[in-house]
Amino acid sequence: MTSQFRPLPLSPATATSSHAPEAQPASDRVSYLHIDEASETQRVDNFLAKVLKGVPKSHIYRILRSGEVRVNKKRVDAEYRLQLGDEVRVPPIRTAEAAAKPAAPAIRAKLAEQVIYEDDAMLALNKPAGMAVHGGSGISLGVIEQLRLERPQAKFLELVHRLDRETSGVLMIAKKRSALTALHEAMRHHQMDKRYLMLVQGQWQDAKKKVTLDLQKYVTESGERRVQVVDAPLLNSEPGGIKSLKASGIVAQRHAAKGRFEVETQTSETWFYLQEVLGQYSFLQAKLITGRTHQLRVQLSHLGFPILGDDKYGDFALNKQLNKHGLKRMFLHSSETRIAHPLTGEPLHLVAPLPAELAQFLQQQRQLKAIK
């Protein structure tokens, strides 16, 4: 990913930086960094921590307190939020030099053909199943890291929201901080219509049904994070309840047979719409009202309609059979999203077609139903 600042053409004492990823303020002279869209609204202490790689936070706060760092020639505190066009004065600071790295191998484009919408503010991908949205937990490259590698010239690329690793479909990426902020604001105020398609076990009866359930996260004995529906979450008056949580500032936990529970619960809400009943399966569309972790998977499993292929909350014996018949992934797809454009306000309708492997399995079930 490219550097998120550019030098101003000031005096000879001004640092000469490039847009190369390793560009940093000079260690032997004062640098003047010009804030662009990538760092707009970021706190100045976090901005300095980003550009002064290897410098302890304690030293960053010291140069802020001493006034050696100036924004537009004025002192600022650590909480100051940078504005587009701000000029940040950074004193000479010697940082640890990174060891020379071998030449990186050529990047294979994995996401170029998955773009379903793009302009200067944002882009939307049809995320493939099996690809995490970000690296971690043994995953070296997620969608966002891969996208940054494929687009080294991009100044700013950030995830707007997440999808589970095994879920395919519409995934929004912001290309400007102002777009990211606007999209997050729209999501907080429920100004986004996000639809999913899924094939579940069982015969769903209701044409339209609203499901509201309390969810609680926990960690299994093996260390895996899970979510479950709770009928009676811990109350404020109980030890480790929400009041205690707020008072202590520590996430209170309790041990139970299934693992370690986080006390705070979250209400989850979804509208489900029946599309087709296909023998022992049902094809559903879901409209999210809230966006909790594993929301659709946990709700449907709790109701007795687990999503086919779900390896966390599904019917494991059935999944094994389905794998032999061609369904080798979870049948959950983020099919479309309607939202106002973050900068222009124009309505956007982002559509990700059902992946071929899911469409093929669905067609097989329709053919079986027709035969019977």
Side-chain angles (χ1 to χ4, degrees), residues 51-110:
V51 299
L52 297 173
K53 293 179 174 60
V55 176
K57 275 257 183 162
S58 58
H59 187 72
I60 288 173
Y61 290 121
R62 190 178 304 125
I63 61 176
L64 279 165
R65 287 195 302 270
S66 68
E68 293 177 82
V69 172
R70 301 283 178 115
V71 178
N72 302 329
K73 301 182 180 180
K74 297 179 182 178
R75 285 177 177 250
V76 294
D77 59 28
E79 296 179 354
Y80 173 80
R81 292 196 176 273
L82 297 165
Q83 303 300 313
L84 186 65
D86 277 354
E87 176 193 290
V88 182
R89 177 195 187 275
V90 182
I93 298 176
R94 192 167 299 280
T95 60
E97 294 184 6
K101 296 181 180 179
I107 301 302
R108 183 169 67 87
K110 297 180 179 179

Side-chain angles (χ1 to χ4, degrees), residues 199-240:
L199 196 61
V200 302
Q201 183 179 3
Q203 296 182 326
W204 189 274
Q205 299 299 317
D206 301 288
K208 178 180 178 181
K209 181 177 182 177
K210 185 179 181 182
V211 174
T212 303
L213 294 167
D214 286 331
L215 305 184
Q216 191 170 43
K217 296 178 183 178
Y218 68 96
V219 182
T220 66
E221 293 179 352
S222 62
E224 187 177 4
R225 296 186 68 83
R226 293 287 182 91
V227 180
Q228 72 166 12
V229 173
V230 287
D231 296 321
L234 285 177
L235 303 176
N236 288 346
S237 58
E238 294 184 63

Side-chain angles (χ1 to χ4, degrees), residues 13 43 54 82 85 87 97 149 159 177 222 237 334 349 357-358:
R43 281 176 45 144
L82 297 165
E87 176 193 290
E97 294 184 6
L149 288 173
L159 291 165
R177 188 172 294 276
S222 62
S237 58
S334 177
H349 185 198
E357 67 274 14
L358 298 188

